[in-house]
Amino acid sequence: ESTRFLISGCSNDQEIQIIKCVFTNCQASNADGGAILYNMDGKFTVHGTIFTGCSANSGGAIEAKGTNGNAKSFHSHYCCYTSCTCGTGNSHLGSAIHAQFTDLEVNYSATLYCPAGQATAHGAQIDLTSVNFVASSHINSTHGRAEYCSGIEYRSGKSGFFKFQNLVNHEGSFITALNDLGGSVEISNYNIVNVNVTSKAGFPGVIFVLKTGVTLSDIIVFGVTFAE
């Protein structure tokens, strides 16, 4: 398999930063984190980095989480993910990113053709779980294909925001999933355009909300096709 970063065993007080790097065709056969596997309880930053053609069981480009499930903080900004792929089983999450942290931010980034080629993932291009604060803005998520959520899935989070997102040319049972979010999470300024909603999940829809109610504002949905 191609070279990847394995970040584990360092002091949990340390902050690990990956800045202005390029990962191409990195693969983790029968493992998680095609380009980067972060497995410690500290702070992790990925900034201005490009991922192309990376693949793994979970987290096609990045798999990041703490040793007990939730690390302190994950900040990822100004990154691009192209043709990255994860496995197809229900425990294989995030064809681009799968991250689970106490405080989590993913901003100013793009995903394109994740998964690669004609593959169909189990879930979203970006799959984020937060115990406390979760924020995501200015994301261009395009050309995703999945059995369930094809674009971005947000799980938990007591506060935060999701805004200024463009989800275009997706195919899945739903395009965005909001799973058990806290009431103070702002969800606004979304564009969902030219998507194909399939029936694999048995309860298809453009936006899927589970467990708790949410308020959405300033959302544009255009060009939706529902499979028979």
Side-chain angles (χ1 to χ4, degrees), residues 70-112:
N70 296 292
K72 292 180 180 178
S73 67
F74 175 61
H75 290 174
S76 179
H77 311 300
Y78 303 103
C79 294
C80 183
Y81 305 83
T82 304
S83 299
C84 296
T85 304
C86 68
T88 57
N90 60 11
S91 63
H92 300 163
L93 305 173
S95 52
I97 304 172
H98 177 224
Q100 185 172 337
F101 282 76
T102 300
D103 295 310
L104 193 154
E105 293 188 34
V106 177
N107 301 310
Y108 299 99
S109 296
T111 54
L112 175 67

Side-chain angles (χ1 to χ4, degrees), residues 46-49 51 75-81 97 105-112 126 136-142 152 164-166:
V46 182
H47 185 93
T49 294
F51 301 86
H75 290 174
S76 179
H77 311 300
Y78 303 103
C79 294
C80 183
Y81 305 83
I97 304 172
E105 293 188 34
V106 177
N107 301 310
Y108 299 99
S109 296
T111 54
L112 175 67
I126 300 175
S136 177
S137 69
H138 299 88
I139 302 294
N140 288 322
S141 172
T142 62
I152 309 173
F164 304 113
Q165 316 275 32
N166 294 312

